[in-house]
Structures are given as C-alpha cells and as structure tokens.
Amino acid sequence: MAGLAALGLFAGALVACSAGGTGARDEGPARTAPVGSTAPGTTVSPAPDAAAASPSPSPTPASVNAVRLVKSDPKVSSDIKRDLKPCVAKEYPVDVSYGNLTGGTSNDIVVNVMTCGDAVGIGTYVYRDDDGTYKNVFQAEEPPVYAEIDRGDLVVTKQVYEKGDSVASPSGEEILTYRWSGGRFTEVERTHNDYSHAVDGESPSPAQDG
C-alpha cells in the first residue's frame, strides 16, 4: 500500500508539470514573496516619481509677437526694420524658435528675419527673458545668416559667396557654435564647408574605350 501511494504522488507531480507548459514562468522568474509583501530582512525603496524625475520643460511664450519685438528693439538696424514687411497679407518673413539657451527659468527666443523673394536670412537675434522683459543678448546682421538651437547651443550658419555666385548657389558656408557663459554667448566651435559647383551642371560623359 505504501508503494502504491508513493507511485500515485509521483504520477500527480508529472501531471502538474505537464499542465504548466515548460514548468517555468513564461512572464519571468517567480516571486519569492506574495504581491504587496516583502521577504523577511529585505528593505524596498519606494519607486521614483516619474514626474519628479523628469523636469517639465519651460513654458513656451506663445503670446510673444516676434515682429513687434524686432521692430521695437533699439539694437536692430534701421534697414532691417524698414525691410521687415509682410510678404503676403499679414505673413511676415520671420522664423521663430523657442528653447533654453541661457539657463533661465523660461525659454529664450531666436528670431530669424529673411527676405520675401528668396528667403535669404538678413538678421538673426536671440532674446532672453529678463524679469518679464525680453532683452537682446545676441544678434548677427551680416547676410545671409540663419540661427538654430541645437542641444542647448546656438548654431549660426553664414553662407559664403564668391564673385559670380548666384543667391541660390553659394561657394560654401561657415557654421559657428555659440554657448552661453558668463552672461554672454561665446564662440566654441567653427566649421567651414566648401560646396562643389560641379553638380550644378551636366557631368561630362566618360571617355569611350577604343
């Protein structure tokens, strides 16, 4: 009888294993303690708050009128103010970007002023929120010029033209990277790229082998 009972228990164990698939948990290792409890002698740290771990971005100043900001800026040249007119209806040739460049509590504003006909950048400006008033902390008015925000740095691109170049076909470009330090922007990197004009025309046909 004792032998039959042991055989019955062994068979039951085989049935239990076959009913559970592989015998291991498909979703991962089994818990060593019930859900909501901890094993003796174990200390569990509270889960980090996702909202606290990732700081919220600075609010975007949606109410800022970039055209009015540029035209009221005493540092902006009178020529650019005069040329800053709508291209179509009330559409001004102005690109605006928001981002934290100066480490302030609110986003800085990058404004690029362009021409209507060929969209050539004629002026770029950075405005920083100074106690509710936007202050001009950077400007470049040597066209063609255009500025962008790249991972917290200010990247200014200047097209280089040589004699005979058309507006649409410059000879190269200068890329200047600025970083906010000590209350002002300081140049930290400069890259020069030369463009090839060979792609503007037809390439000569390769010589035929005799």
Side-chain angles (χ1 to χ4, degrees):
M1 292 297 293
L4 291 175
L7 183 61
L9 290 174
F10 179 72
L14 289 177
V15 172
C17 288
S18 62
T22 61
R25 294 172 59 89
D26 295 335
E27 62 274 10
R31 292 178 179 269
T32 56
V35 177
S37 65
T38 57
T42 303
T43 302
V44 179
S45 301
D49 188 354
S54 55
S56 58
S58 302
T60 299
S63 61
V64 173
N65 186 320
V67 174
R68 184 181 303 170
L69 193 62
V70 170
K71 287 194 171 186
S72 62
D73 186 353
K75 293 184 178 181
V76 177
S77 71
S78 57
D79 291 340
I80 289 183
K81 290 181 180 180
R82 183 183 62 250
D83 294 338
L84 184 52
K85 299 177 181 179
C87 298
V88 179
K90 295 183 179 180
E91 295 294 328
Y92 285 83
V94 171
D95 283 349
V96 184
S97 302
Y98 301 95
N100 198 324
L101 287 168
T102 65
T105 57
S106 61
N107 282 325
D108 303 299
I109 305 175
V110 178
V111 181
N112 287 288
V113 180
M114 299 167 291
T115 59
C116 287
D118 42 29
V120 172
I122 58 177
T124 184
Y125 310 91
V126 178
Y127 293 94
R128 185 176 192 268
D129 187 358
D130 186 10
D131 293 331
T133 302
Y134 286 99
K135 180 181 178 182
N136 183 336
V137 293
F138 179 90
Q139 72 178 49
E141 295 181 332
E142 301 82 19
V145 62
Y146 195 90
E148 298 176 290
I149 300 173
D150 184 8
R151 292 171 291 184
D153 290 336
L154 178 67
V155 179
V156 179
T157 302
K158 296 181 177 181
Q159 302 294 336
V160 177
Y161 290 89
E162 295 181 357
K163 187 177 181 180
D165 290 343
S166 65
V167 174
S169 182
S171 291
E173 67 179 6
E174 293 275 353
I175 303 176
L176 296 85
T177 302
Y178 294 89
R179 191 165 298 157
W180 185 260
S181 176
R184 64 188 182 93
F185 282 103
T186 303
E187 182 182 331
V188 295
E189 185 178 355
R190 179 185 291 250
T191 303
H192 179 86
N193 297 321
D194 286 327
Y195 298 153
S196 172
H197 289 292
V199 296
D200 295 336
E202 294 183 0
S203 301
S205 301
Q208 299 292 331
D209 295 333

